[in-house]
Amino acid sequence: MYYSSGNYEAFAHPRKPEGVDHKSAYLIGSGLAALTAACYLVRDGQMKGERIHIFEKDPIPGGACDGYQYDIGYVMRGGREMDNHFEVMWDLLRSIPSLETEGASVLDEYYWLNKADPNYSLCRATEKQGQDAHTDGKFAISDQGALEIMKLFFTPDEQLQDKKITDVFDKEVFSSNFWLYWRTMFAFENWHSALEMKLYLKRYIHHIGGLPDFTALRFTRYNQYESIILPMTCYLKDHGVQFFYETKVTDVQFNIEIGRKQASSITVDHKGQVETIDLTENDLLFMTNGGCVESCTVGAQDKAAGFDPTIKPGNGWDLWRRVAAQDPSFGNPDKFCSKPEESNWESATITTLDDTIPQYIEKICKRDPFSGHTVTGGIVTVKDSSWLLSWTLNRQQQFRDQPKNQLCVWVYGLFSDKPGDYVKKSMRDCTGKEICMEWLYHLGVPTDKIEELAEHSANTVPVMMPYIDAFFMPRAIGDRPDVVPKDAVNFAFLGQFAETPRDTIFTTEYSMRTGMVAVYSLLSIDRGVPEVWGSTYDVRCLIDAAVKLRDGRKLTDMELPFVKKLALKEALRKIEGTDLEKFLKKYNAI
């Protein structure tokens, strides 16, 4: 496997891998990473679909990329934001047929949609019961805070092993709008990994200027299940890929020798019927280890999702523990799943049932929420919420069968253990109705109307996810296994807890990249995996981000000691009349 960039390999079709007709594939899980791996096995690996087997413990595919209507109402556990430089995602989705537009791909309809209806926010944050917090597109960070961010950006990964964000930042960063934007958009907590914070900064340095208003983001037309997962599963089924639902893989065994590691068997439990499948070198195994939505609990309008801090990790974690016990190169799952109090947050899907609540939404987002176009343009954060509540409406309807007079709102709180500001209970102890009441309070709904609207004008389904932020827990090199560990001959790890260079977790792109890397590695496909977008090495992006982070202030406006100011003045004098001076002026640095 190797990396490539540019158009030369982007549009090439690889030759059929040698011996692929004699190989089979077994995939554990049907989340985005596994579905991606299966699609690449079919498209570029040219493996026959009937030789590809996908085992899924749930009755439907998709993993964390969900969006379903249950008897208790519509449920979206999370949301996914995309950008134009998700290179693997676009490489694959150009080959997945649209379910709605004949002759078009999923990429085509996504591209057309976001061109016609570009994303941007008109209100990033509120306070004081629905009033605009007037962050006004500003980061409001001091020079000292900006220097702390710059220092982290250039700190080697090796120096950030097991460190927390609080080890590298202080109030100069934590009190800024930058941190408000950052933590709520990406769901970082102060005690999370400084290494992941650094990797995010490097990966998305080209989007710093788009953080205040979300102009950098793109969204699908419907929820992620209907817009991404369904087209991929239809593509796979059309090619004969075998899906086995309500089927758990409870164990994987390996033959491990010096210089060679082979998956030798998997134990499969289908509704109580247990079977062991022996694997040869020609049987490729793709394992989704861990899982951010494992062990989640779903509440209802009149039922709290709850939270049990002693909860045992679910099947994805349990299986990874069994696997990791067999070889050190298979990672350290306990680094991620042993402290659910530090890795949880709670979300809720609020469905409005009449026209009473939408007027309060429109007042904040300044758009007609029923237009079918961009509504909030990303999350609206309630700056003074004890739960640090954020909420969003993507394009409506979010579900194809959703009634046109209803809206689906996604709400989440980073601090699920704190008492609310209106409902004096922790979010985790609140019913759906009570979570809706807290949200309505922060929308600015008069207090004498709140309970009535939450009861009769909305249906709210809460979901507690104990491990949703598990991948942000402080870690060290080796805690996540490589996608294809050294000396592995027939197996790979997939998903957010597998290690692939430079890209960052908690994105659709990361999951899909692990799937592509795994297939290209095990089948030696003669085509490059698209390189991660190189903005971190682009001096234009670096200068642009530095200026925008400081809200447009020039280098000459920096708070510097007298001697350093003199040195800066002399340096600028030396570049007068050069291309370097023109460059710095173009990006408003001087």
Side-chain angles (χ1 to χ4, degrees), residues 139 205-210 538-553 583-584 586-589:
F139 288 103
I205 195 68
H206 56 289
H207 284 331
I208 289 294
D538 189 329
V539 68
R540 296 167 299 181
C541 291
L542 299 179
I543 291 295
D544 184 60
V547 171
K548 287 178 176 173
L549 182 62
R550 299 180 63 249
D551 294 328
R553 300 195 303 275
F583 167 76
L584 292 174
K586 179 179 179 180
Y587 287 93
N588 301 310

Short mmCIF file of all heavy atoms in Angstrom, two decimals, residues 139 205-210 538-553 583-584 586-589:
data_model
loop_
_atom_site.label_atom_id
_atom_site.label_comp_id
_atom_site.label_asym_id
_atom_site.label_seq_id
_atom_site.Cartn_x
_atom_site.Cartn_y
_atom_site.Cartn_z
N PHE A 139 -12.66 35.09 17.37
CA PHE A 139 -12.09 34.06 18.24
C PHE A 139 -11.83 34.61 19.65
O PHE A 139 -11.77 33.84 20.60
CB PHE A 139 -10.79 33.52 17.65
CG PHE A 139 -11.00 32.65 16.45
CD1 PHE A 139 -10.76 33.12 15.18
CD2 PHE A 139 -11.46 31.36 16.59
CE1 PHE A 139 -10.97 32.33 14.06
CE2 PHE A 139 -11.67 30.54 15.49
CZ PHE A 139 -11.43 31.03 14.21
N ILE A 205 -6.24 22.78 9.71
CA ILE A 205 -5.71 24.14 9.78
C ILE A 205 -6.32 25.02 8.70
O ILE A 205 -6.49 26.23 8.88
CB ILE A 205 -4.16 24.12 9.69
CG1 ILE A 205 -3.57 25.46 10.13
CG2 ILE A 205 -3.69 23.71 8.31
CD1 ILE A 205 -3.75 25.78 11.58
N HIS A 206 -6.69 24.43 7.58
CA HIS A 206 -7.29 25.20 6.48
C HIS A 206 -8.72 25.62 6.79
O HIS A 206 -9.32 26.39 6.03
CB HIS A 206 -7.26 24.40 5.17
CG HIS A 206 -7.91 23.06 5.24
ND1 HIS A 206 -7.36 22.00 5.93
CD2 HIS A 206 -9.07 22.59 4.70
CE1 HIS A 206 -8.15 20.95 5.81
NE2 HIS A 206 -9.20 21.28 5.07
N HIS A 207 -9.30 25.11 7.89
CA HIS A 207 -10.66 25.46 8.24
C HIS A 207 -10.76 26.38 9.45
O HIS A 207 -11.88 26.66 9.92
CB HIS A 207 -11.47 24.19 8.54
CG HIS A 207 -11.87 23.43 7.32
ND1 HIS A 207 -12.09 24.03 6.09
CD2 HIS A 207 -12.10 22.11 7.11
CE1 HIS A 207 -12.42 23.13 5.20
NE2 HIS A 207 -12.43 21.95 5.78
N ILE A 208 -9.65 26.86 9.96
CA ILE A 208 -9.70 27.74 11.14
C ILE A 208 -10.64 28.92 10.90
O ILE A 208 -11.47 29.26 11.73
CB ILE A 208 -8.29 28.24 11.52
CG1 ILE A 208 -7.44 27.08 12.09
CG2 ILE A 208 -8.36 29.38 12.53
CD1 ILE A 208 -7.92 26.53 13.41
N GLY A 209 -10.50 29.54 9.73
CA GLY A 209 -11.34 30.69 9.43
C GLY A 209 -12.82 30.38 9.33
O GLY A 209 -13.66 31.27 9.47
N GLY A 210 -13.17 29.11 9.10
CA GLY A 210 -14.56 28.71 8.98
C GLY A 210 -15.19 28.22 10.27
O GLY A 210 -16.38 27.89 10.29
N ASP A 538 1.25 23.64 3.99
CA ASP A 538 1.04 24.73 3.03
C ASP A 538 1.19 26.06 3.77
O ASP A 538 0.36 26.41 4.61
CB ASP A 538 -0.36 24.61 2.43
CG ASP A 538 -0.60 25.56 1.27
OD1 ASP A 538 0.00 26.67 1.27
OD2 ASP A 538 -1.37 25.21 0.36
N VAL A 539 2.24 26.80 3.45
CA VAL A 539 2.53 28.04 4.18
C VAL A 539 1.40 29.05 4.01
O VAL A 539 1.15 29.87 4.90
CB VAL A 539 3.89 28.63 3.72
CG1 VAL A 539 3.82 29.14 2.30
CG2 VAL A 539 4.34 29.73 4.68
N ARG A 540 0.66 28.98 2.89
CA ARG A 540 -0.48 29.87 2.71
C ARG A 540 -1.55 29.61 3.77
O ARG A 540 -2.11 30.55 4.36
CB ARG A 540 -1.07 29.69 1.31
CG ARG A 540 -0.14 30.07 0.17
CD ARG A 540 -0.66 29.59 -1.16
NE ARG A 540 -0.78 28.13 -1.19
CZ ARG A 540 -1.19 27.44 -2.24
NH1 ARG A 540 -1.53 28.07 -3.35
NH2 ARG A 540 -1.27 26.11 -2.19
N CYS A 541 -1.85 28.34 4.00
CA CYS A 541 -2.85 27.98 5.01
C CYS A 541 -2.38 28.36 6.41
O CYS A 541 -3.18 28.81 7.24
CB CYS A 541 -3.14 26.48 4.95
SG CYS A 541 -4.01 25.96 3.45
N LEU A 542 -1.11 28.16 6.68
CA LEU A 542 -0.58 28.46 8.01
C LEU A 542 -0.65 29.95 8.32
O LEU A 542 -1.07 30.35 9.41
CB LEU A 542 0.87 27.97 8.12
CG LEU A 542 1.08 26.46 7.93
CD1 LEU A 542 2.56 26.11 8.04
CD2 LEU A 542 0.28 25.67 8.95
N ILE A 543 -0.26 30.79 7.36
CA ILE A 543 -0.31 32.23 7.58
C ILE A 543 -1.75 32.70 7.68
O ILE A 543 -2.12 33.49 8.56
CB ILE A 543 0.42 32.97 6.44
CG1 ILE A 543 1.93 32.70 6.51
CG2 ILE A 543 0.15 34.47 6.51
CD1 ILE A 543 2.60 33.25 7.75
N ASP A 544 -2.60 32.19 6.79
CA ASP A 544 -4.01 32.57 6.80
C ASP A 544 -4.64 32.20 8.14
O ASP A 544 -5.39 33.01 8.73
CB ASP A 544 -4.73 31.86 5.66
CG ASP A 544 -6.18 32.28 5.54
OD1 ASP A 544 -6.44 33.48 5.34
OD2 ASP A 544 -7.07 31.41 5.65
N ALA A 545 -4.36 31.01 8.65
CA ALA A 545 -4.93 30.57 9.93
C ALA A 545 -4.41 31.42 11.08
O ALA A 545 -5.17 31.78 11.99
CB ALA A 545 -4.60 29.10 10.16
N ALA A 546 -3.12 31.75 11.06
CA ALA A 546 -2.53 32.55 12.13
C ALA A 546 -3.18 33.93 12.21
O ALA A 546 -3.47 34.44 13.30
CB ALA A 546 -1.03 32.68 11.93
N VAL A 547 -3.43 34.53 11.06
CA VAL A 547 -4.06 35.85 11.02
C VAL A 547 -5.51 35.78 11.47
O VAL A 547 -5.97 36.58 12.29
CB VAL A 547 -3.96 36.45 9.60
CG1 VAL A 547 -4.79 37.74 9.50
CG2 VAL A 547 -2.51 36.74 9.24
N LYS A 548 -6.25 34.79 10.98
CA LYS A 548 -7.67 34.68 11.33
C LYS A 548 -7.86 34.30 12.78
O LYS A 548 -8.82 34.75 13.42
CB LYS A 548 -8.35 33.67 10.39
CG LYS A 548 -8.53 34.25 9.00
CD LYS A 548 -9.16 33.26 8.03
CE LYS A 548 -9.39 33.94 6.67
NZ LYS A 548 -9.84 32.97 5.65
N LEU A 549 -6.97 33.47 13.33
CA LEU A 549 -7.07 33.10 14.74
C LEU A 549 -6.96 34.34 15.63
O LEU A 549 -7.59 34.42 16.69
CB LEU A 549 -5.97 32.09 15.10
CG LEU A 549 -5.96 31.57 16.54
CD1 LEU A 549 -7.25 30.83 16.86
CD2 LEU A 549 -4.76 30.66 16.76
N ARG A 550 -6.18 35.32 15.18
CA ARG A 550 -6.01 36.57 15.94
C ARG A 550 -6.99 37.64 15.46
O ARG A 550 -6.75 38.83 15.65
CB ARG A 550 -4.56 37.05 15.81
CG ARG A 550 -3.54 36.06 16.35
CD ARG A 550 -2.11 36.55 16.22
NE ARG A 550 -1.88 37.74 17.00
CZ ARG A 550 -1.64 38.95 16.46
NH1 ARG A 550 -1.63 39.11 15.15
NH2 ARG A 550 -1.42 40.00 17.23
N ASP A 551 -8.09 37.19 14.85
CA ASP A 551 -9.15 38.09 14.41
C ASP A 551 -8.65 39.21 13.51
O ASP A 551 -9.09 40.36 13.59
CB ASP A 551 -9.89 38.68 15.63
CG ASP A 551 -10.64 37.62 16.42
OD1 ASP A 551 -11.11 36.65 15.80
OD2 ASP A 551 -10.75 37.76 17.65
N GLY A 552 -7.68 38.84 12.63
CA GLY A 552 -7.22 39.78 11.62
C GLY A 552 -6.14 40.74 12.06
O GLY A 552 -5.70 41.59 11.27
N ARG A 553 -5.68 40.63 13.29
CA ARG A 553 -4.64 41.55 13.76
C ARG A 553 -3.32 41.25 13.05
O ARG A 553 -2.95 40.09 12.84
CB ARG A 553 -4.45 41.45 15.28
CG ARG A 553 -5.70 41.78 16.05
CD ARG A 553 -5.44 42.03 17.53
NE ARG A 553 -4.79 40.93 18.20
CZ ARG A 553 -5.42 39.88 18.72
NH1 ARG A 553 -6.73 39.77 18.58
NH2 ARG A 553 -4.75 38.93 19.34
N PHE A 583 3.54 38.41 -0.47
CA PHE A 583 2.81 37.26 0.06
C PHE A 583 2.19 37.59 1.42
O PHE A 583 1.00 37.32 1.67
CB PHE A 583 3.76 36.07 0.18
CG PHE A 583 3.23 34.93 0.99
CD1 PHE A 583 2.28 34.07 0.46
CD2 PHE A 583 3.67 34.70 2.29
CE1 PHE A 583 1.77 33.02 1.21
CE2 PHE A 583 3.17 33.64 3.03
CZ PHE A 583 2.22 32.80 2.50
N LEU A 584 2.97 38.17 2.33
CA LEU A 584 2.46 38.48 3.67
C LEU A 584 1.35 39.52 3.62
O LEU A 584 0.39 39.46 4.40
CB LEU A 584 3.60 38.95 4.57
CG LEU A 584 4.64 37.88 4.93
CD1 LEU A 584 5.81 38.49 5.69
CD2 LEU A 584 4.01 36.75 5.75
N LYS A 586 -0.71 39.92 1.03
CA LYS A 586 -1.87 39.26 0.43
C LYS A 586 -2.72 38.56 1.48
O LYS A 586 -3.95 38.54 1.40
CB LYS A 586 -1.40 38.26 -0.63
CG LYS A 586 -2.54 37.50 -1.29
CD LYS A 586 -2.02 36.53 -2.34
CE LYS A 586 -3.17 35.74 -2.99
NZ LYS A 586 -2.67 34.79 -4.01
N TYR A 587 -2.06 37.96 2.48
CA TYR A 587 -2.78 37.24 3.53
C TYR A 587 -2.96 38.09 4.79
O TYR A 587 -3.25 37.55 5.87
CB TYR A 587 -2.08 35.92 3.83
CG TYR A 587 -2.29 34.91 2.72
CD1 TYR A 587 -1.37 34.80 1.68
CD2 TYR A 587 -3.44 34.14 2.68
CE1 TYR A 587 -1.58 33.90 0.64
CE2 TYR A 587 -3.66 33.24 1.65
CZ TYR A 587 -2.73 33.13 0.62
OH TYR A 587 -2.96 32.25 -0.41
N ASN A 588 -2.79 39.41 4.63
CA ASN A 588 -3.09 40.38 5.70
C ASN A 588 -2.27 40.18 6.96
O ASN A 588 -2.69 40.55 8.06
CB ASN A 588 -4.59 40.34 6.05
CG ASN A 588 -5.47 40.66 4.87
OD1 ASN A 588 -5.26 41.66 4.20
ND2 ASN A 588 -6.43 39.79 4.58
N ALA A 589 -1.08 39.56 6.81
CA ALA A 589 -0.21 39.38 7.97
C ALA A 589 0.50 40.67 8.34
O ALA A 589 0.85 40.89 9.51
CB ALA A 589 0.81 38.28 7.69
#
